[in-house]
Amino acid sequence: MSRFRLYDLNPEQQRAATHESGPLLILAGAGTGKTRTIVARITWLVSTGTPASKILAVTFTNKAAREMKERIAGMLTEEQADDITASTFHALCVRILRGDADKLGYKSNFTIFDEGDQMGLIKKVINRVTAKDEKIDPGLAKNMISKAKNNGWAAPEDDETVIGAVYSCYNRELRALNAMDFDDLLTNAVRLLNDHPDVRDKWRARFSHMMVDEFQDTNRLQLDLVSLLASGDPPNVCVVGDDDQSIYGWRGAEVSNILEFEKHFPNPEVIRLEQNYRSTNTILTAANRLIKNNPRRRAKSLWSSVQGGDPVHVVSVPDDKTEAEFVVGEVGAIRNAQRVPWEQFAVIYRMNAQSRLMEENLRRLRIPYRLVGGKSFFDRREVKDILATITCLVNPQEDISLLRIINTPPRGIGATTVEIALEHSAKAHRSLFDTLTDSAFEEQVSRKTAAAIREFAENLAAVRIHLMTPGADAAALVSSYLADTGYFEDLKRSCKTPEEALNREGGAKEILNALATHQARKRGSVQDFLDELSLNREREEDKKDDGTGLTLITLHAAKGLEFPHVFLIGAEDGLLPHERSKTEGTVDEERRLFYVGITRAMKSLTITQCRNRMKFGSAMHCRPSPFLKEIEGEGVHAETYEDIMSRPLDEEDIGFSFASIRASLDD
């Protein structure tokens, strides 16, 4: 028996749940009970006679699909819940293709290539079709092929360009292996439904009602798939989303899909879910003031039945070091005053690199934390690369670091050469560096490889001399060395998306900034810097990661989550909105990103802005984010760090201060 009760829903949710037929657009604002409404609609359809097997719900992730099925299982009988299809876009495409792949020239038992398989094949193809002097980075090739497929660009028939030749050969190899990559699943399913009316009619007959979650995140091909599968006249397609939370344009999402829904599905019923069950009205008012500045959006205004709430605090701090110390101090004060667990706190930021100073302060005070949507700053690839480079510049005899950087970026010293050198070094009980630079070893490799080893060793030695000179600007020397080797360009090429490239670049700059700051503050040696980081990492490894504690998270990863107490840091022009957005015309998406950050907060929200941010040891002046001007008004209280520090401490703050001092002394 159904356990569905209409009176549990608010009036707009009821309208959405009981919409009878035809296109339906549910504009579900942040925290307005979107999933609850979708589940209620599915339950209502079944309770009014629609067979459960005729309902299709499409989500973006397996996790979302599982959660939806679990929620549905709590409302319907077990048999009914099992009959409903809740699937990701890619899983749905596999089901469509398995039955009729032969119409596209594939066997029905085609293989699906995951990312590892894909990269392996692309590397083989690159070696086969390119000359020695025209190599292309496999990661870059993969990204370009993916973009081409999602834009509907066929592989070129001629091989005039390197990437064109790689694309063509890669596609031929996939076909020969009877395989599809993840992009092929979507493109081929759309092509199959578009070119074969019998297949399209079969799938339309299978489902009478289709629901799509997070519609603002769909790309052009996903919209095409929805249009081809939607059945009924008019089509019974229900999409749920929020254009104000469309933040994935950099990976192909098109906000126009939800803004222009009527163009694809004429005369839809449009229902706005605006009653928020997450945040205080004070927080929601600030969010509404911000987002109304986006010119292209569906008008909506979030509100809560719970009146009042603490003001939104906007705090101007002197620099990023003070910002981290201030935030950690505020977290401790709130926790002590309200006796709440660490899990109720989140620190949200635009770039992954911003976590470094926060992590250092949290570890110093032994506050448990977890990183969501990213590795610990010190586990990031670019950070490990640069630390290994610095280590080799200080001590080239350190084999582990040398192994990490010897061919990163590629410099003509291949894996076979390194293996031979390792064997020789083990037998002779010498370091890898001494073995590689031994004239006897040079005779065992090709002239080209020997020249590459000599160049690597000479460059390392030249920079090392400067680095060991008293008063040398270590960060500038390391940065210059990395630039000269082509490391930064190689790092950028290996990234899948512009957003990843931006984060990697930020991580690289942040570790160099840490070196510069260390020198400026302590005037210690580069080795002292490496030792300090090693001790920090050892302390971090000692701390069990049980998934509990304060949350450190990027704005992108925070979407869909909520926390009672939120600290949104780095609200500066050039960081949020990011500088790149101004040239690319994506400031609107940056505003939506800020909106997502604000609407994660349930009870309290503190936004910090640095007047100076350290870059390579120097304080660079920062302007406040223009978004801060947009949220100004009643309920938003702006003050400076100096104002806060000049106020007398209350007992809770004093208690936390003493605890902080004790922790520092223990360290």
Side-chain angles (χ1 to χ4, degrees), residues 127-148:
N127 289 332
R128 190 176 307 158
V129 305
T130 59
K132 288 184 178 179
D133 60 345
E134 59 173 9
K135 293 295 183 191
I136 184 172
D137 179 78
L140 176 65
K142 175 180 169 295
N143 296 339
M144 292 177 76
I145 291 169
S146 177
K147 184 177 180 180

Side-chain angles (χ1 to χ4, degrees), residues 202-487:
K202 177 177 71 176
W203 280 93
R204 282 185 174 178
R206 184 164 181 173
F207 299 112
S208 62
H209 286 81
M210 184 179 189
M211 263 152 280
V212 185
D213 193 14
E214 303 286 9
F215 192 67
Q216 77 280 349
D217 294 336
T218 53
N219 61 24
R220 185 186 62 81
L221 277 172
Q222 288 159 337
L223 173 63
D224 289 346
L225 185 71
V226 172
S227 299
L228 288 164
L229 286 174
S231 62
D233 186 18
N236 292 318
V237 59
C238 165
V239 304
V240 188
D242 181 10
D243 52 299
D244 290 336
Q245 296 186 78
S246 179
I247 58 173
Y248 297 114
W250 49 274
R251 70 180 187 197
E254 298 187 26
V255 70
S256 59
N257 288 356
I258 196 167
L259 292 176
E260 300 168 7
F261 183 72
E262 291 88 345
K263 186 186 292 184
H264 309 287
F265 299 97
N267 304 315
E269 182 171 4
V270 180
I271 297 172
R272 290 169 171 79
L273 303 185
E274 297 173 301
Q275 183 174 356
N276 178 283
Y277 296 94
R278 173 188 299 156
S279 309
T280 66
N281 258 326
T282 306
I283 292 169
L284 297 177
T285 301
N288 290 334
R289 277 198 291 257
L290 170 79
I291 204 63
K292 73 177 184 182
N293 289 279
N294 268 3
R296 287 191 75 223
R297 64 181 289 264
R298 299 266 187 176
K300 68 189 83 68
S301 186
L302 299 181
W303 61 276
S304 170
S305 60
V306 181
Q307 296 302 312
D310 292 341
V312 172
H313 286 279
V314 177
V315 183
S316 170
V317 296
D319 52 50
D320 46 352
K321 180 176 177 290
T322 309
E323 177 183 55
E325 292 171 351
F326 168 73
V327 168
V328 172
E330 287 293 291
V331 167
I334 294 171
R335 182 174 186 269
N336 278 5
Q338 300 184 16
R339 300 291 186 266
V340 293
W342 296 115
E343 289 73 28
Q344 291 201 6
F345 299 90
V347 179
I348 308 181
Y349 38 83
R350 176 66 178 84
M351 306 294 294
N352 274 306
Q354 289 172 262
S355 74
R356 179 183 71 86
L357 288 169
M358 288 302 311
E359 286 188 76
E360 286 183 359
N361 278 277
L362 291 166
R363 286 200 306 273
R364 179 171 56 82
L365 296 173
R366 296 180 183 175
I367 294 175
Y369 70 91
R370 63 190 185 114
L371 270 95
V372 177
K375 294 179 178 179
S376 168
F377 178 81
F378 301 102
D379 286 335
R380 289 159 63 89
R381 186 183 87 208
E382 68 277 12
V383 172
K384 285 188 169 184
D385 287 346
I386 293 174
L387 287 176
T389 300
I390 296 170
T391 300
C392 286
L393 287 168
V394 172
N395 176 22
Q397 308 296 323
E398 217 273 32
D399 284 2
I400 294 174
S401 294
L402 188 66
L403 281 168
R404 185 171 186 94
I405 71 161
I406 195 162
N407 212 36
T408 302
R411 46 172 60 93
I413 308 172
T416 305
T417 302
V418 174
E419 282 178 26
I420 296 169
L422 281 169
E423 286 178 20
H424 280 258
S425 68
K427 288 176 183 175
H429 301 289
R430 303 176 71 192
S431 72
L432 179 62
F433 184 80
D434 285 346
T435 303
L436 285 166
T437 53
D438 191 332
S439 56
F441 180 76
E442 278 192 21
E443 294 173 5
Q444 298 186 41
V445 297
S446 67
R447 287 184 181 178
K448 189 174 180 181
T449 301
I453 292 171
R454 277 196 303 275
E455 183 182 4
F456 170 63
E458 287 167 3
N459 289 342
L460 211 61
V463 177
R464 185 166 186 261
I465 290 169
H466 291 297
L467 200 63
M468 296 296 106
T469 304
D473 187 339
L477 284 167
V478 174
S479 180
S480 178
Y481 172 75
L482 289 166
D484 290 344
T485 63
Y487 174 77

Side-chain angles (χ1 to χ4, degrees), residues 28-216:
T32 57
K34 173 195 70 171
T35 306
R36 182 187 194 191
T37 305
I38 299 173
V39 171
R41 172 155 182 75
I42 291 171
T43 308
W44 181 81
L45 286 169
V46 173
S47 68
T48 53
T50 301
S53 60
K54 289 280 191 178
I55 297 172
L56 168 65
V58 187
T59 67
F60 271 83
T61 65
N62 287 314
K63 181 173 179 281
R66 281 195 306 272
E67 285 176 357
M68 188 175 291
K69 288 283 277 187
E70 286 168 6
R71 296 276 287 270
I72 292 167
M75 304 290 279
L76 299 172
T77 66
E78 186 177 342
E79 185 181 357
Q80 288 171 329
D82 286 342
D83 282 348
I84 289 165
T85 301
S87 163
T88 65
F89 275 101
H90 286 103
L92 176 62
C93 289
V94 172
R95 293 178 68 172
I96 292 168
L97 290 164
R98 284 291 179 209
D100 295 282
D102 60 302
K103 290 180 168 60
L104 299 178
Y106 291 88
K107 296 176 184 175
S108 60
N109 64 341
F110 61 84
T111 302
I112 301 169
F113 267 35
D114 63 18
E115 194 167 322
D117 300 325
Q118 195 178 359
M119 283 298 288
L121 180 57
I122 286 174
K123 286 175 182 176
K124 287 179 186 175
V125 166
I126 288 172
N127 289 332
R128 190 176 307 158
V129 305
T130 59
K132 288 184 178 179
D133 60 345
E134 59 173 9
K135 293 295 183 191
I136 184 172
D137 179 78
L140 176 65
K142 175 180 169 295
N143 296 339
M144 292 177 76
I145 291 169
S146 177
K147 184 177 180 180
K149 288 185 176 183
N150 279 285
N151 284 327
W153 303 336
E157 294 180 7
D158 57 65
D159 292 345
E160 289 183 5
T161 64
V162 176
I163 186 60
V166 172
Y167 185 10
S168 297
C169 185
Y170 169 72
N171 264 6
R172 288 195 298 270
E173 288 289 322
L174 274 179
R175 275 303 191 108
L177 293 165
N178 190 40
M180 298 185 201
D181 61 27
F182 267 60
D183 296 311
D184 289 329
L185 295 176
L186 200 54
T187 55
N188 284 337
V190 168
R191 186 155 63 93
L192 178 65
L193 294 170
N194 203 46
D195 296 350
H196 298 274
D198 57 323
V199 178
R200 183 170 67 246
D201 291 343
K202 177 177 71 176
W203 280 93
R204 282 185 174 178
R206 184 164 181 173
F207 299 112
S208 62
H209 286 81
M210 184 179 189
M211 263 152 280
V212 185
D213 193 14
E214 303 286 9
F215 192 67
Q216 77 280 349

Side-chain angles (χ1 to χ4, degrees), residues 312-317 326 330 606-607 609 611 636-645 647:
V312 172
H313 286 279
V314 177
V315 183
S316 170
V317 296
F326 168 73
E330 287 293 291
T606 301
I607 303 170
Q609 168 258 319
R611 298 192 290 274
V636 176
H637 179 58
E639 57 188 334
T640 67
Y641 171 80
E642 290 79 5
D643 290 338
I644 295 170
M645 290 298 106
R647 290 201 296 264

